Amino acid sequence: MKKWNVEICDVTLRDGEQTPGVSFSAEEKCRIAGLLDSVGVDVIEAGFPVVSKNEAACVQKIVDLDLDARICCLSRALKDDIDCAIRCDIDMVSIFIATSDLHMKIKYKKPREEVLAGALEMIEYAHDHGLQVRFAAEDASRTDLAFLREMYAQGAEYGANYVSYADTVGCLTPLEMSRIVDDLLTDLSIPLCIHCHDDMGCATANTITAAERGAYQLHTTVNGIGERAGNASLEEVLTAIRFKGGVDRYDLSHLLTLSHAVSEASGIPISKTKAIVGEHAFAHESGIHIAALIEDSSTYEYIHPALVGGQRHYILGKHTGKKAIAHILRSMGHDISEAQICWILDQVKSRGENKCSITHDLLLSLIHQADSEVAQ
């Protein structure tokens, strides 16, 4: 397997906080930043400091944590924005302009050449003040590729260290992303960043596709939170680049703790079926599955739960088999007969078919009832 050449820029503290109704306190931001650093995330986008004095103070507090990760913040192509970023003592500034004809017409009301010229001046200004610069194209996925190539080339000439491609409205599919990255990388002299939104459910897939095709910096948020339907999910991207790209330098064992911390701080619950971190990500009910898992967990688990800080769970219900019941009961310390196991299994299936959850207390009750029921 050829190892992919990538790094992660997590944008939970900026784009993730743009989720409607979400606002992180300074303490929550610092805790999340610390956990991201424990995972080994390369770049943390700490915020958009020009938004408010409090936002700038939060960015400064994250810088003051002296993490291993480089700290980045967002900036429009305006001197006041960049001066605010400089005062926060960050490592990298992401200077963005909207690049599609639609956005140019509605937001700037200027020709693209004039918008680009102003942005290039700000790249040079930030570069001259010692910052790494990421030159970002907002709504890149609806922008003429020839203009993007020219924009990126000029950005590099003016001192940009990275250029960024944003699928701002989440309109791409993986095949489209593959073709676009191939096109952009044909004559690009600096690393390409990919920033995907999930409006069509393709953000993680598009990010992984871009990485496989040669994109370098991958943008993510924890639990995939963000504007509208959210962004590419950190936990999914990290797991995918481990298994598909051979990238093993990140400590995935912190992912569940990080996911819960962001869920608590954001107030957004994690779906039970969410990949990697959902309650059911490593839960099994099917009797056929559990019987095989008992022998060899790789039969029905591509990812070992412990790798990402999770645990395997066997769920009892209408699909449960006898081997699963016997295994669970013995793991609980109960040595019961074949007849008792069969009776309990019948009860579990009957209740499962009637949408009754088999709780720990209910299972204990069935175990106690099994003695008398089988004896009769």
Side-chain angles (χ1 to χ4, degrees):
M1 177 192 295
K2 181 182 178 182
K3 184 178 289 190
W4 297 350
N5 182 30
V6 296
E7 69 176 11
I8 299 293
C9 175
D10 188 83
V11 299
T12 302
L13 301 180
R14 198 276 302 169
D15 213 346
E17 195 182 32
Q18 289 175 209
T19 306
V22 172
S23 178
F24 299 129
S25 69
E27 292 74 19
E28 289 167 336
K29 283 197 171 193
C30 286
R31 186 186 177 212
I32 292 166
L35 287 168
L36 288 168
D37 198 52
S38 297
V39 170
V41 164
D42 305 276
V43 180
I44 297 171
E45 192 166 300
F48 194 173
V50 81
V51 165
S52 68
K53 290 182 179 179
N54 181 64
E55 179 78 351
C58 286
V59 172
Q60 183 66 64
K61 285 182 179 179
I62 292 170
V63 170
D64 291 343
L65 293 174
D66 195 25
L67 303 174
D68 290 332
R70 306 190 319 273
I71 307 303
C72 174
C73 70
L74 191 66
S75 170
R76 294 167 297 180
L78 299 172
K79 185 174 180 294
D80 285 348
D81 283 34
I82 296 166
D83 285 339
C84 189
I86 292 167
R87 288 193 296 272
C88 290
D89 199 27
I90 44 89
D91 301 296
M92 177 189 294
V93 63
S94 182
I95 300 173
F96 75 94
I97 58 170
T99 55
S100 67
D101 288 339
L102 174 63
H103 277 232
M104 290 273 190
K105 176 183 176 183
I106 300 300
K107 294 168 66 172
Y108 299 136
K109 299 177 174 60
K110 296 178 183 178
R112 59 167 60 156
E113 293 76 16
E114 184 178 344
V115 174
L116 176 56
L120 294 173
E121 287 182 20
M122 292 300 99
I123 291 170
E124 189 172 48
Y125 180 74
H127 176 78
D128 288 348
H129 282 77
L131 297 180
Q132 284 194 321
V133 180
R134 183 173 70 210
F135 189 20
E138 183 188 19
D139 204 28
S141 49
R142 294 190 292 181
T143 300
D144 175 58
L145 278 173
F147 173 64
L148 278 180
R149 285 196 300 270
E150 177 61 24
M151 168 187 158
Y152 290 163
Q154 291 192 44
E157 290 175 7
Y158 276 76
N161 303 92
Y162 297 79
V163 289
S164 185
Y165 181 100
D167 183 16
T168 302
V169 295
C171 64
L172 296 180
T173 65
L175 286 176
E176 289 173 312
M177 179 62 82
S178 179
R179 290 192 291 268
I180 288 165
V181 172
D182 285 349
D183 191 315
L184 292 175
L185 289 180
T186 53
D187 53 7
L188 189 59
S189 62
I190 56 177
L192 176 67
C193 312
I194 294 294
H195 182 103
C196 295
H197 282 262
D198 205 36
D199 298 70
M200 294 202 304
C202 294
T204 294
N206 285 338
T207 301
I208 296 306
T209 299
E212 192 274 336
R213 299 309 301 164
Y216 179 63
Q217 189 181 90
L218 314 179
H219 294 190
T220 64
T221 61
V222 179
N223 299 335
I225 65 172
E227 295 272 5
R228 304 180 311 280
N231 293 52
S233 161
L234 172 69
E235 53 278 5
E236 294 170 13
V237 169
L238 283 181
T239 306
I241 65 174
R242 164 74 67 90
F243 284 92
K244 300 301 181 182
V247 181
D248 58 3
R249 69 178 185 273
Y250 299 102
D251 187 349
L252 308 189
S253 67
H254 298 285
L255 289 180
L256 197 62
T257 300
L258 174 58
S259 172
H260 288 168
V262 170
S263 178
E264 181 181 352
S266 66
I268 299 174
I270 306 163
S271 168
K272 287 186 176 183
T273 55
K274 172 76 170 64
I276 315 302
V277 294
E279 184 181 335
H280 289 173
F282 302 103
H284 308 270
E285 181 184 326
S286 165
I288 295 170
H289 289 205
I290 294 173
L293 280 160
I294 291 169
E295 297 295 323
D296 185 338
S297 63
S298 65
T299 51
Y300 287 99
E301 285 177 346
Y302 182 61
I303 303 157
H304 194 284
L307 178 69
V308 295
Q311 289 185 318
R312 182 181 305 116
H313 299 284
Y314 295 138
I315 307 299
L316 299 180
K318 63 180 285 186
H319 303 102
T320 300
K322 189 166 68 173
K323 280 190 177 181
I325 290 285
H327 178 79
I328 291 169
L329 295 180
R330 285 167 188 150
S331 69
M332 294 170 62
H334 297 281
D335 185 16
I336 58 180
S337 68
E338 181 85 1
Q340 290 170 319
I341 290 171
C342 290
W343 183 86
I344 293 171
L345 178 61
D346 287 342
Q347 297 302 309
V348 165
K349 285 182 174 291
S350 175
R351 285 165 169 76
E353 287 173 346
N354 288 289
K355 302 182 186 293
C356 175
S357 297
I358 310 300
T359 64
H360 180 74
D361 288 343
L362 176 55
L363 183 57
L364 287 177
S365 175
L366 292 175
I367 293 168
H368 292 143
Q369 291 177 53
D371 284 335
S372 57
E373 292 293 338
V374 171
Q376 291 176 0

